[in-house]
């Protein structure tokens, strides 16, 4: 039996040297990094002194200054010094003694619109200057001057103040509020919340034109007047009253007057259009008051008279609106023209009269002292036409 051949080990394939390959890769990375470092300009490498030099303070970033100019900033620079603060000072009694002292009772704003013969003139709101014993004017640079009330008008909420022109540099130019468009940019300048925020600038658009806002002058819960105003979403707050509403031509196109102050209402500011304000400003400056035509009567809204009492008026069933003549002043235009008590006014110069507000607006906005007015009234159930010549006065 042949002896079996001695078993021989099967030769294995030799594995590549892994350690050598790893070292070769590391060396390749290092060489590549060195080549990049050598070939890259040093001014493009990031500098971080706080990392490279721990014992040195981080370098300060270079500050770049830009002088920003826009249409709005240029306009504000041009007109800001025409807007002033108006402080209403009155004598009040100390609650702890009988001593009297002069105290600030309110602040508002005003706009310098005219300068001549050593005087300058400021337009503001009636409610800003109402009952003031002293008016203190604060300019944009903080200097102060004493103001003298020339005149004010409750119905339009406008007032004119006179000052010496020593500190006056510029005056505001009147624009044309009739040309305003909805969406047009406007700038409001004034002193919201008092002189601590003097010269504040807010920017918005014309939200609406020909707005009619009800006003209760004596706070009896009944509307006395409807003010025609511009609506803007530029922020207007207490203290802005009397300030300027400016267009992008740098022109005064409104006198900021009031703000609807309800928690549910935001972004509604109101201003008196300059085209309505200008003739009132002129009358206040020249005469110290606005002389309005009068009929010489006292009136009651027909709608406020109970139905049982309306029976005595003997009105047609379809007459539901109008104004009832309650009393007639002797020798007044109404008396001379033959107006009778309980006449119900329904029309003036062809314009329908529904209540005392529409009657006031026609009388105050459409007529002048000395004008002839044609009025239609119901008298004992019959329609009567009356012509009268208006005179000046402080009542209807």
């Amino acid at each position: 039996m042949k002896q079996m051949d001695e078993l021989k080990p099967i030769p294995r394939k030799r594995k590549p040297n892994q350690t050598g390959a790893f070292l070769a890769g590391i060396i390749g990375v290092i060489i590549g990094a060195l080549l990049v470092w050598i070939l890259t300009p040093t001014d493009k490498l990031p500098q971080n002194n706080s990392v490279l030099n721990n014992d040195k303070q981080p370098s300060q970033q270079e500050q770049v200054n830009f002088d920003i100019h826009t249409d709005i900033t240029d306009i504000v620079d041009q007109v800001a010094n025409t807007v002033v603060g108006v402080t209403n000072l009155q004598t009040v009694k100390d609650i702890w003694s009988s001593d009297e002292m002069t105290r600030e009772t309110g602040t508002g704003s005003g706009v310098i619109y005219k300068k001549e013969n050593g005087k300058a003139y400021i337009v503001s709101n009636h409610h800003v200057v109402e009952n003031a014993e002293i008016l203190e004017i604060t300019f944009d640079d903080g200097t102060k001057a004493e103001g003298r009330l020339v005149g004010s008008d409750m119905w339009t909420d406008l007032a004119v103040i006179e000052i010496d022109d020593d500190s006056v540099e510029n005056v505001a130019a009147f624009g044309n509020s009739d040309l305003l468009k909805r969406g047009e940019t406007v700038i409001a300048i004034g002193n919201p919340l008092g002189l601590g925020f003097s010269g504040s600038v807010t920017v918005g658009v014309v939200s609406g034109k020909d707005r009619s806002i009800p006003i209760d002058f004596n706070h009896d819960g009944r509307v006395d007047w409807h003010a025609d105003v511009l609506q803007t979403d530029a922020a207007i707050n207490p203290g802005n009253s009397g300030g300027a509403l400016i267009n992008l031509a740098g022109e005064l196109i409104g006198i900021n007057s009031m703000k609807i102050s309800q928690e549910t209402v935001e972004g509604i500011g109101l201003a008196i259009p300059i085209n309505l304000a200008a003739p009132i400003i002129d009358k206040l400056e020249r005469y110290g008051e606005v002389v309005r035509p009068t009929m010489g009567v006292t009136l009651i809204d027909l709608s406020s008279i109970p139905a049982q009492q309306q029976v005595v008026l003997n009105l047609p069933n379809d007459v539901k609106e109008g104004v009832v003549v309650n009393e007639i002043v002797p020798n007044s235009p109404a008396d001379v023209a033959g107006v009778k008590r309980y006449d119900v006014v329904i029309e003036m110069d062809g314009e329908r009269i529904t209540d005392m507000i529409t009657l006031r607006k026609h009388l105050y906005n459409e007529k002048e002292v000395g004008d002839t007015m044609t009025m239609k009234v119901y008298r004992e159930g019959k329609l009567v036409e009356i012509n009268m010549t208006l005179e000046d006065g402080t009542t209807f």
Side-chain angles (χ1 to χ4, degrees), residues 171-190:
V171 298
F174 286 5
N176 186 345
S177 55
D178 290 343
L179 299 180
L180 289 172
K181 301 178 179 65
R182 284 184 300 168
E184 182 176 339
T185 299
V186 289
I187 306 164
I189 306 177

Side-chain angles (χ1 to χ4, degrees), residues 297-371:
V297 295
T298 61
L299 304 168
I300 304 173
D301 279 338
L302 177 62
S303 60
S304 68
I305 298 175
Q308 297 88 342
Q309 295 182 15
Q310 287 190 23
V311 174
V312 302
L313 301 175
N314 195 24
L315 291 171
N317 293 332
D318 61 342
V319 178
K320 305 296 183 183
E321 297 175 323
V323 180
V324 181
V325 176
N326 186 44
E327 294 179 351
I328 302 167
V329 177
N331 301 316
S332 66
D335 188 26
V336 172
V339 176
K340 303 295 182 183
R341 190 181 188 191
Y342 302 142
D343 281 353
V344 180
V345 182
I346 63 162
E347 188 178 296
M348 287 180 167
D349 297 321
E351 181 178 322
R352 183 183 175 192
I353 301 299
T354 59
D355 52 26
M356 286 194 292
I357 294 172
T358 56
L359 186 149
R360 269 196 190 105
K361 295 198 78 169
H362 180 79
L363 197 62
Y364 291 172
N365 295 348
E366 306 296 332
K367 310 303 290 186
E368 297 286 346
V369 173
D371 286 353

Side-chain angles (χ1 to χ4, degrees), residues 25-82:
I26 290 295
I27 292 170
V29 170
I30 293 172
I31 292 173
L34 287 172
L35 289 173
V36 170
W37 182 78
I38 291 170
L39 296 174
T40 302
T42 56
D43 60 353
K44 293 185 179 180
L45 292 176
Q47 300 293 323
N48 191 336
N49 293 336
S50 63
V51 175
L52 299 177
N53 302 307
N54 292 328
D55 58 340
K56 294 182 179 181
Q57 294 295 327
S59 61
Q60 294 183 349
Q61 295 293 325
E62 182 180 355
Q63 187 178 40
V64 180
N65 296 318
F66 291 99
D67 189 5
I68 304 298
H69 285 278
T70 66
D71 289 343
I72 292 175
T73 60
D74 290 343
I75 290 166
V76 171
D77 286 343
Q78 174 187 335
V79 304
N81 61 0
T82 68

Side-chain angles (χ1 to χ4, degrees), residues 221-384:
R222 302 177 69 177
V223 175
D224 299 306
W225 183 252
H226 278 85
D228 296 322
V229 293
L230 295 170
Q231 178 191 340
T232 176
D233 65 348
I236 296 175
N237 294 285
N240 273 117
S241 290
L245 193 67
I246 304 291
N247 64 13
L248 288 186
E251 298 169 333
L252 182 67
I253 47 86
I255 306 298
N256 301 325
S257 180
M258 48 193 163
K259 186 182 190 304
I260 297 178
S261 54
Q262 299 179 12
E263 293 182 1
T264 56
V265 176
E266 291 291 339
I268 297 182
L270 303 172
I272 305 165
I274 199 63
N275 285 21
L276 293 181
I280 303 298
I281 293 170
D282 180 63
K283 290 179 181 178
L284 290 174
E285 185 185 325
R286 290 164 59 189
Y287 308 119
E289 61 179 346
V290 179
V291 178
R292 291 188 169 89
T294 184
M295 297 186 294
V297 295
T298 61
L299 304 168
I300 304 173
D301 279 338
L302 177 62
S303 60
S304 68
I305 298 175
Q308 297 88 342
Q309 295 182 15
Q310 287 190 23
V311 174
V312 302
L313 301 175
N314 195 24
L315 291 171
N317 293 332
D318 61 342
V319 178
K320 305 296 183 183
E321 297 175 323
V323 180
V324 181
V325 176
N326 186 44
E327 294 179 351
I328 302 167
V329 177
N331 301 316
S332 66
D335 188 26
V336 172
V339 176
K340 303 295 182 183
R341 190 181 188 191
Y342 302 142
D343 281 353
V344 180
V345 182
I346 63 162
E347 188 178 296
M348 287 180 167
D349 297 321
E351 181 178 322
R352 183 183 175 192
I353 301 299
T354 59
D355 52 26
M356 286 194 292
I357 294 172
T358 56
L359 186 149
R360 269 196 190 105
K361 295 198 78 169
H362 180 79
L363 197 62
Y364 291 172
N365 295 348
E366 306 296 332
K367 310 303 290 186
E368 297 286 346
V369 173
D371 286 353
T372 298
M373 182 174 69
T374 300
M375 186 168 68
K376 290 183 179 179
V377 304
Y378 273 103
R379 180 183 298 166
E380 297 179 355
K382 295 180 180 179
L383 194 61
V384 178

Side-chain angles (χ1 to χ4, degrees), residues 71-186:
D71 289 343
I72 292 175
T73 60
D74 290 343
I75 290 166
V76 171
D77 286 343
Q78 174 187 335
V79 304
N81 61 0
T82 68
V83 180
V84 298
V86 179
T87 303
N88 185 324
L89 300 172
Q90 298 178 22
T91 301
V92 296
K93 286 188 176 181
D94 190 335
I95 60 174
W96 304 110
S97 69
S98 58
D99 295 338
E100 292 185 342
M101 61 185 66
T102 301
R103 282 186 180 173
E104 173 186 317
T105 59
T107 59
S109 305
V111 185
I112 306 171
Y113 69 91
K114 184 177 180 180
K115 176 181 176 181
E116 69 176 17
N117 299 326
K119 306 295 181 184
Y121 296 89
I122 299 167
V123 57
S124 185
N125 288 147
H126 167 79
H127 74 265
V128 170
V129 304
E130 189 173 14
N131 299 321
E133 295 176 1
I134 299 173
L135 290 172
E136 186 176 76
I137 307 302
T138 304
F139 295 93
D140 189 51
D141 62 1
T143 60
K144 297 181 182 295
E146 182 178 349
R148 297 173 291 279
L149 181 63
V150 177
S152 67
D153 182 59
M154 176 183 72
W155 299 101
T156 54
D157 195 26
L158 290 168
V160 170
I161 304 165
E162 180 188 85
I163 59 173
D164 294 332
D165 69 355
D166 300 339
S167 302
V168 177
E169 297 178 2
N170 298 324
V171 298
F174 286 5
N176 186 345
S177 55
D178 290 343
L179 299 180
L180 289 172
K181 301 178 179 65
R182 284 184 300 168
E184 182 176 339
T185 299
V186 289

